PDB file of all heavy atoms in Angstrom:
ATOM      1  N   ALA A 490     -22.724 -23.398  18.863  1.00 96.00           N
ATOM      2  CA  ALA A 490     -22.557 -24.754  19.385  1.00 96.00           C
ATOM      3  C   ALA A 490     -22.020 -25.688  18.314  1.00 96.00           C
ATOM      4  O   ALA A 490     -21.356 -26.683  18.604  1.00 96.00           O
ATOM      5  CB  ALA A 490     -23.900 -25.271  19.928  1.00 96.00           C
ATOM      6  N   LYS A 491     -22.274 -25.351  17.047  1.00 95.00           N
ATOM      7  CA  LYS A 491     -21.778 -26.180  15.943  1.00 95.00           C
ATOM      8  C   LYS A 491     -20.407 -25.713  15.466  1.00 95.00           C
ATOM      9  O   LYS A 491     -19.924 -26.133  14.408  1.00 95.00           O
ATOM     10  CB  LYS A 491     -22.749 -26.121  14.755  1.00 95.00           C
ATOM     11  CG  LYS A 491     -24.144 -26.607  15.079  1.00 95.00           C
ATOM     12  CD  LYS A 491     -24.192 -28.120  15.153  1.00 95.00           C
ATOM     13  CE  LYS A 491     -25.645 -28.566  15.347  1.00 95.00           C
ATOM     14  NZ  LYS A 491     -25.714 -30.001  15.713  1.00 95.00           N
ATOM     15  N   GLY A 492     -19.818 -24.765  16.175  1.00 94.00           N
ATOM     16  CA  GLY A 492     -18.484 -24.310  15.806  1.00 94.00           C
ATOM     17  C   GLY A 492     -18.466 -23.253  14.711  1.00 94.00           C
ATOM     18  O   GLY A 492     -17.427 -22.987  14.111  1.00 94.00           O
ATOM     19  N   ILE A 493     -19.627 -22.673  14.447  1.00 96.00           N
ATOM     20  CA  ILE A 493     -19.684 -21.627  13.433  1.00 96.00           C
ATOM     21  C   ILE A 493     -19.522 -20.266  14.102  1.00 96.00           C
ATOM     22  O   ILE A 493     -20.114 -20.010  15.155  1.00 96.00           O
ATOM     23  CB  ILE A 493     -21.021 -21.709  12.658  1.00 96.00           C
ATOM     24  CG1 ILE A 493     -21.028 -22.994  11.835  1.00 96.00           C
ATOM     25  CG2 ILE A 493     -21.207 -20.490  11.761  1.00 96.00           C
ATOM     26  CD1 ILE A 493     -22.328 -23.246  11.113  1.00 96.00           C
ATOM     27  N   GLU A 494     -18.689 -19.436  13.501  1.00 96.00           N
ATOM     28  CA  GLU A 494     -18.439 -18.129  14.087  1.00 96.00           C
ATOM     29  C   GLU A 494     -19.506 -17.144  13.616  1.00 96.00           C
ATOM     30  O   GLU A 494     -19.668 -16.930  12.409  1.00 96.00           O
ATOM     31  CB  GLU A 494     -17.046 -17.645  13.726  1.00 96.00           C
ATOM     32  CG  GLU A 494     -15.967 -18.497  14.374  1.00 96.00           C
ATOM     33  CD  GLU A 494     -14.570 -18.091  13.960  1.00 96.00           C
ATOM     34  OE1 GLU A 494     -14.303 -18.076  12.746  1.00 96.00           O
ATOM     35  OE2 GLU A 494     -13.762 -17.793  14.848  1.00 96.00           O
ATOM     36  N   VAL A 495     -20.195 -16.562  14.569  1.00 97.00           N
ATOM     37  CA  VAL A 495     -21.377 -15.774  14.248  1.00 97.00           C
ATOM     38  C   VAL A 495     -21.275 -14.363  14.804  1.00 97.00           C
ATOM     39  O   VAL A 495     -20.866 -14.159  15.946  1.00 97.00           O
ATOM     40  CB  VAL A 495     -22.642 -16.415  14.863  1.00 97.00           C
ATOM     41  CG1 VAL A 495     -23.882 -15.666  14.390  1.00 97.00           C
ATOM     42  CG2 VAL A 495     -22.728 -17.880  14.493  1.00 97.00           C
ATOM     43  N   LEU A 496     -21.656 -13.423  13.959  1.00 97.00           N
ATOM     44  CA  LEU A 496     -21.846 -12.049  14.421  1.00 97.00           C
ATOM     45  C   LEU A 496     -23.341 -11.791  14.339  1.00 97.00           C
ATOM     46  O   LEU A 496     -23.953 -12.000  13.292  1.00 97.00           O
ATOM     47  CB  LEU A 496     -21.103 -11.074  13.496  1.00 97.00           C
ATOM     48  CG  LEU A 496     -21.334  -9.583  13.768  1.00 97.00           C
ATOM     49  CD1 LEU A 496     -20.759  -9.178  15.121  1.00 97.00           C
ATOM     50  CD2 LEU A 496     -20.712  -8.732  12.661  1.00 97.00           C
ATOM     51  N   VAL A 497     -23.942 -11.375  15.451  1.00 96.00           N
ATOM     52  CA  VAL A 497     -25.369 -11.083  15.405  1.00 96.00           C
ATOM     53  C   VAL A 497     -25.563  -9.581  15.547  1.00 96.00           C
ATOM     54  O   VAL A 497     -25.079  -8.960  16.493  1.00 96.00           O
ATOM     55  CB  VAL A 497     -26.159 -11.885  16.471  1.00 96.00           C
ATOM     56  CG1 VAL A 497     -25.586 -11.664  17.866  1.00 96.00           C
ATOM     57  CG2 VAL A 497     -27.635 -11.528  16.442  1.00 96.00           C
ATOM     58  N   ASP A 498     -26.222  -9.003  14.548  1.00 96.00           N
ATOM     59  CA  ASP A 498     -26.474  -7.564  14.601  1.00 96.00           C
ATOM     60  C   ASP A 498     -27.716  -7.328  15.453  1.00 96.00           C
ATOM     61  O   ASP A 498     -28.847  -7.403  14.970  1.00 96.00           O
ATOM     62  CB  ASP A 498     -26.649  -6.983  13.192  1.00 96.00           C
ATOM     63  CG  ASP A 498     -26.618  -5.453  13.221  1.00 96.00           C
ATOM     64  OD1 ASP A 498     -26.781  -4.875  14.321  1.00 96.00           O
ATOM     65  OD2 ASP A 498     -26.422  -4.845  12.143  1.00 96.00           O
ATOM     66  N   ASP A 499     -27.434  -7.070  16.715  1.00 94.00           N
ATOM     67  CA  ASP A 499     -28.516  -6.907  17.695  1.00 94.00           C
ATOM     68  C   ASP A 499     -28.725  -5.441  18.045  1.00 94.00           C
ATOM     69  O   ASP A 499     -29.299  -5.119  19.072  1.00 94.00           O
ATOM     70  CB  ASP A 499     -28.163  -7.693  18.970  1.00 94.00           C
ATOM     71  CG  ASP A 499     -26.820  -7.266  19.552  1.00 94.00           C
ATOM     72  OD1 ASP A 499     -26.054  -6.575  18.854  1.00 94.00           O
ATOM     73  OD2 ASP A 499     -26.537  -7.630  20.713  1.00 94.00           O
ATOM     74  N   ARG A 500     -28.238  -4.564  17.180  1.00 93.00           N
ATOM     75  CA  ARG A 500     -28.398  -3.142  17.483  1.00 93.00           C
ATOM     76  C   ARG A 500     -29.848  -2.720  17.300  1.00 93.00           C
ATOM     77  O   ARG A 500     -30.571  -3.275  16.464  1.00 93.00           O
ATOM     78  CB  ARG A 500     -27.513  -2.307  16.547  1.00 93.00           C
ATOM     79  CG  ARG A 500     -26.049  -2.483  16.766  1.00 93.00           C
ATOM     80  CD  ARG A 500     -25.261  -1.719  15.735  1.00 93.00           C
ATOM     81  NE  ARG A 500     -25.510  -2.204  14.371  1.00 93.00           N
ATOM     82  CZ  ARG A 500     -25.037  -1.620  13.286  1.00 93.00           C
ATOM     83  NH1 ARG A 500     -24.311  -0.525  13.385  1.00 93.00           N
ATOM     84  NH2 ARG A 500     -25.299  -2.117  12.084  1.00 93.00           N
ATOM     85  N   ASP A 501     -30.246  -1.736  18.077  1.00 92.00           N
ATOM     86  CA  ASP A 501     -31.578  -1.174  17.900  1.00 92.00           C
ATOM     87  C   ASP A 501     -31.491  -0.141  16.779  1.00 92.00           C
ATOM     88  O   ASP A 501     -31.576   1.055  17.007  1.00 92.00           O
ATOM     89  CB  ASP A 501     -32.056  -0.535  19.203  1.00 92.00           C
ATOM     90  CG  ASP A 501     -33.464   0.017  19.051  1.00 92.00           C
ATOM     91  OD1 ASP A 501     -34.171  -0.400  18.108  1.00 92.00           O
ATOM     92  OD2 ASP A 501     -33.848   0.869  19.865  1.00 92.00           O
ATOM     93  N   ALA A 502     -31.274  -0.645  15.557  1.00 93.00           N
ATOM     94  CA  ALA A 502     -31.120   0.258  14.417  1.00 93.00           C
ATOM     95  C   ALA A 502     -32.116  -0.156  13.350  1.00 93.00           C
ATOM     96  O   ALA A 502     -32.682  -1.251  13.393  1.00 93.00           O
ATOM     97  CB  ALA A 502     -29.699   0.173  13.875  1.00 93.00           C
ATOM     98  N   ARG A 503     -32.297   0.723  12.399  1.00 93.00           N
ATOM     99  CA  ARG A 503     -33.242   0.422  11.323  1.00 93.00           C
ATOM    100  C   ARG A 503     -32.653  -0.619  10.377  1.00 93.00           C
ATOM    101  O   ARG A 503     -31.444  -0.789  10.284  1.00 93.00           O
ATOM    102  CB  ARG A 503     -33.581   1.704  10.580  1.00 93.00           C
ATOM    103  CG  ARG A 503     -34.320   2.711  11.438  1.00 93.00           C
ATOM    104  CD  ARG A 503     -34.470   4.025  10.725  1.00 93.00           C
ATOM    105  NE  ARG A 503     -35.275   3.867   9.495  1.00 93.00           N
ATOM    106  CZ  ARG A 503     -36.595   3.926   9.478  1.00 93.00           C
ATOM    107  NH1 ARG A 503     -37.268   4.154  10.587  1.00 93.00           N
ATOM    108  NH2 ARG A 503     -37.253   3.777   8.341  1.00 93.00           N
ATOM    109  N   ALA A 504     -33.525  -1.279   9.658  1.00 95.00           N
ATOM    110  CA  ALA A 504     -33.105  -2.373   8.783  1.00 95.00           C
ATOM    111  C   ALA A 504     -32.067  -1.907   7.764  1.00 95.00           C
ATOM    112  O   ALA A 504     -31.073  -2.595   7.519  1.00 95.00           O
ATOM    113  CB  ALA A 504     -34.312  -2.960   8.066  1.00 95.00           C
ATOM    114  N   GLY A 505     -32.296  -0.729   7.185  1.00 95.00           N
ATOM    115  CA  GLY A 505     -31.393  -0.235   6.152  1.00 95.00           C
ATOM    116  C   GLY A 505     -29.967  -0.116   6.649  1.00 95.00           C
ATOM    117  O   GLY A 505     -29.008  -0.443   5.945  1.00 95.00           O
ATOM    118  N   VAL A 506     -29.821   0.350   7.856  1.00 95.00           N
ATOM    119  CA  VAL A 506     -28.485   0.504   8.446  1.00 95.00           C
ATOM    120  C   VAL A 506     -27.805  -0.861   8.545  1.00 95.00           C
ATOM    121  O   VAL A 506     -26.629  -1.013   8.221  1.00 95.00           O
ATOM    122  CB  VAL A 506     -28.594   1.161   9.837  1.00 95.00           C
ATOM    123  CG1 VAL A 506     -27.252   1.183  10.535  1.00 95.00           C
ATOM    124  CG2 VAL A 506     -29.174   2.564   9.713  1.00 95.00           C
ATOM    125  N   LYS A 507     -28.568  -1.847   8.970  1.00 96.00           N
ATOM    126  CA  LYS A 507     -27.983  -3.183   9.137  1.00 96.00           C
ATOM    127  C   LYS A 507     -27.597  -3.804   7.793  1.00 96.00           C
ATOM    128  O   LYS A 507     -26.545  -4.428   7.671  1.00 96.00           O
ATOM    129  CB  LYS A 507     -28.973  -4.086   9.874  1.00 96.00           C
ATOM    130  CG  LYS A 507     -29.259  -3.575  11.280  1.00 96.00           C
ATOM    131  CD  LYS A 507     -30.058  -4.546  12.121  1.00 96.00           C
ATOM    132  CE  LYS A 507     -30.307  -3.923  13.487  1.00 96.00           C
ATOM    133  NZ  LYS A 507     -30.882  -4.859  14.456  1.00 96.00           N
ATOM    134  N   PHE A 508     -28.448  -3.618   6.802  1.00 97.00           N
ATOM    135  CA  PHE A 508     -28.112  -4.132   5.467  1.00 97.00           C
ATOM    136  C   PHE A 508     -26.833  -3.487   4.941  1.00 97.00           C
ATOM    137  O   PHE A 508     -25.939  -4.159   4.434  1.00 97.00           O
ATOM    138  CB  PHE A 508     -29.255  -3.856   4.477  1.00 97.00           C
ATOM    139  CG  PHE A 508     -30.443  -4.758   4.639  1.00 97.00           C
ATOM    140  CD1 PHE A 508     -31.721  -4.234   4.809  1.00 97.00           C
ATOM    141  CD2 PHE A 508     -30.293  -6.136   4.613  1.00 97.00           C
ATOM    142  CE1 PHE A 508     -32.820  -5.062   4.941  1.00 97.00           C
ATOM    143  CE2 PHE A 508     -31.386  -6.978   4.751  1.00 97.00           C
ATOM    144  CZ  PHE A 508     -32.655  -6.435   4.919  1.00 97.00           C
ATOM    145  N   LYS A 509     -26.769  -2.170   5.070  1.00 96.00           N
ATOM    146  CA  LYS A 509     -25.608  -1.438   4.544  1.00 96.00           C
ATOM    147  C   LYS A 509     -24.319  -1.867   5.249  1.00 96.00           C
ATOM    148  O   LYS A 509     -23.301  -2.096   4.603  1.00 96.00           O
ATOM    149  CB  LYS A 509     -25.800   0.074   4.736  1.00 96.00           C
ATOM    150  CG  LYS A 509     -26.826   0.678   3.809  1.00 96.00           C
ATOM    151  CD  LYS A 509     -26.282   0.744   2.397  1.00 96.00           C
ATOM    152  CE  LYS A 509     -27.265   1.443   1.476  1.00 96.00           C
ATOM    153  NZ  LYS A 509     -26.881   1.332   0.069  1.00 96.00           N
TER     154      LYS A 509
END
Side-chain angles (χ1 to χ4, degrees):
Chain A
K491 300 284 185 192
I493 292 175
E494 293 176 304
V495 186
L496 174 66
V497 54
D498 192 343
D499 56 346
R500 293 175 297 173
D501 182 19
R503 295 172 62 86
V506 173
K507 297 189 181 189
F508 284 126
K509 287 287 184 189

